[in-house]
Amino acid sequence: YPISIIFRVKLLKINNKYIMSQIYYPDRENWVRKDPQSLQINNNLLLKAIEYSKENENKLSIENMQMFTRTASDTKEPHDEVLGPVKERGDLTGLIIKNGYIVAEWGDPERVDMTFSVTKTFLSTTVGLAYDDGLIPDLNEQVHKFMDGEHFEDSHNQLITWDHLLRQTSEWKGNLWSKPDWADRPPSNIPFDKLDSQKYSDPGTKYKYNDVRVNLLALLAANVWKDSLPNILKSRVMDPIGASETWKWHGYTNSWIDINNKKIQSVSGGGHWGGGMFINAMDQARFGYLFLRKGIWDNNVIISKDWINKASSPGELNHSYGFMNWFLNSNLEGTEKQITNAPKNAVYFSGLGSNIIYIDWENDLVVVVRWIKSDALPGFIDLILKAIN
């Protein structure tokens, strides 16, 4: 058979029987809606899931969320100056995509909002594209070889690899865009004036979610590409999957760099100090759907299955975390699931608010929900799974 047929055919299990079905990909200007009952979905249970999300809306404003990010162990973070753009949030919004079709939507899916740490998944995707292209031959290679400058003069930092940065185990020490590495979630047991001389673990031996180090990865990726990451993302991912022109990926006022005599803004990996990805729910859903289809859009391989397998593999130090912002339900036996009734291989991208893109290969399901309380996510997904099963 032609390879296009192989790519576009899947098996669906309905009433314990497998049938052949052509994979649907939405057009640039249109995403087909289907009645839930036409896909064997219990509409009453689906409506209960939507109502549950509305009952558990996070009522915090963007201003309050920004203040929340500056809090660690009840200690106000130092260096909390906002350097990039911010935007007040919209209404609670959601999309449910089953078998490729939109079966439910609420709120304002076309509204562009900050997406906070979901930005990290867009960042790790640009690194994945560089890996696929051979620009990064080995993820265990030391990153200092890819960029000259002050950020890797220390012998400690020269041990850091791409894998360390992607899994947030780098323990990089230094300053970037006027933020020292310890400015994000500083330890509560060390005075701020002593943090510069604190002891660091060896790279690869400690997990720490750290937005300064995430921004370092963005700087490295820009140096590998010799171009701005928004340009790479647009040409290689967002345009091919039919995303709108409304999304913007911002950096900071002081994060401009010179590459090959060209001024480029090094973007941020989230909204901690402003900036990051500003995007609507429809484009988030397209991005999630790309990964549901294992990196294939229509007949085109956008990003390799090899990269997706790597990104969704658990790290040794944090079994619920793959590559940057790939939160794993549980890929290891004996490891507690994050979402109890979801499949073990389900993943989700998560940003403050909460902003969620949930991807479930076993159930051919993508869910986008924005501004839901974080502790309500498992119950929300559970109700959706009950509706479709």
Side-chain angles (χ1 to χ4, degrees), residues 261-276:
N261 296 318
K262 182 169 60 174
K263 286 291 183 184
I264 292 172
Q265 189 180 41
S266 185
V267 288
S268 65
H272 193 138
W273 298 290

Side-chain angles (χ1 to χ4, degrees), residues 300-312:
N300 302 311
V301 178
I302 306 298
I303 192 164
S304 71
K305 188 175 179 179
D306 176 38
W307 178 263
I308 295 172
N309 288 339
K310 284 179 166 61
S312 57

Side-chain angles (χ1 to χ4, degrees), residues 2-228:
I3 195 167
S4 61
I5 298 297
I6 296 172
F7 277 160
R8 293 179 60 84
V9 171
K10 64 180 175 180
L11 285 173
L12 291 180
K13 188 177 183 182
I14 299 177
N15 296 329
N16 292 319
K17 294 181 180 179
Y18 286 97
I19 63 171
M20 298 295 288
S21 174
Q22 187 177 14
I23 295 176
Y24 165 75
Y25 291 91
D27 296 331
R28 180 174 297 277
E29 302 295 335
N30 181 49
W31 199 325
V32 172
R33 275 78 171 165
K34 282 201 172 184
D35 183 272
Q37 293 176 328
S38 71
L39 297 177
Q40 318 294 317
I41 298 172
N42 185 313
N43 193 49
N44 289 333
L45 288 177
L46 199 64
L47 291 174
K48 284 185 178 179
I50 296 169
E51 188 59 32
Y52 179 85
S53 75
K54 294 177 179 178
E55 291 170 354
N56 286 278
E57 178 181 356
N58 186 341
K59 298 292 187 180
L60 288 176
S61 68
I62 288 293
E63 181 181 359
N64 287 332
M65 288 177 190
Q66 288 287 338
M67 290 304 298
F68 174 75
T69 66
R70 301 172 198 172
T71 302
S73 305
D74 298 323
T75 302
K76 190 175 185 295
E77 288 184 359
H79 300 280
D80 61 355
E81 306 83 9
V82 174
L83 299 175
V86 294
K87 180 182 180 182
E88 189 52 62
R89 51 157 284 190
D91 296 332
L92 183 135
T93 293
L95 288 161
I96 299 174
I97 294 99
K98 180 73 172 80
N99 297 356
Y101 302 100
I102 296 175
V103 295
E105 56 189 310
W106 61 103
D108 187 359
E110 302 287 350
R111 176 189 164 87
V112 173
D113 265 331
M114 296 180 72
T115 197
F116 290 94
S117 283
V118 177
T119 308
K120 293 176 174 63
T121 322
F122 291 97
L123 169 57
S124 64
T125 298
T126 65
V127 177
L129 293 169
Y131 174 78
D132 286 345
D133 284 8
L135 299 176
I136 302 173
D138 185 351
L139 297 180
N140 292 312
E141 195 162 0
Q142 294 166 348
V143 294
H144 74 86
K145 301 175 183 178
F146 295 80
M147 188 179 77
D148 296 328
E150 59 184 309
H151 303 302
F152 297 100
E153 290 176 347
D154 189 287
S155 59
H156 169 92
N157 289 341
Q158 290 186 3
L159 299 175
I160 295 169
T161 67
W162 291 100
D163 188 82
H164 294 154
L165 284 167
L166 287 162
R167 295 193 184 277
Q168 304 238 43
T169 63
S170 73
E171 282 290 277
W172 177 81
K173 57 182 179 180
N175 287 265
L176 184 65
W177 316 137
S178 77
K179 308 289 184 183
D181 63 89
W182 47 261
D184 180 22
R185 301 167 178 85
S188 58
N189 60 338
I190 303 176
F192 291 158
D193 60 355
K194 303 293 185 183
L195 285 170
D196 275 328
S197 57
Q198 67 175 305
K199 183 179 179 180
Y200 289 78
S201 300
D202 291 337
T205 64
K206 179 182 177 182
Y207 170 86
K208 186 178 188 298
Y209 198 92
N210 184 287
D211 286 330
V212 180
R213 293 165 183 159
V214 169
N215 291 339
L216 177 69
L217 178 61
L219 176 61
L220 276 159
N223 275 268
V224 167
W225 281 110
K226 309 299 182 189
D227 198 355
S228 76

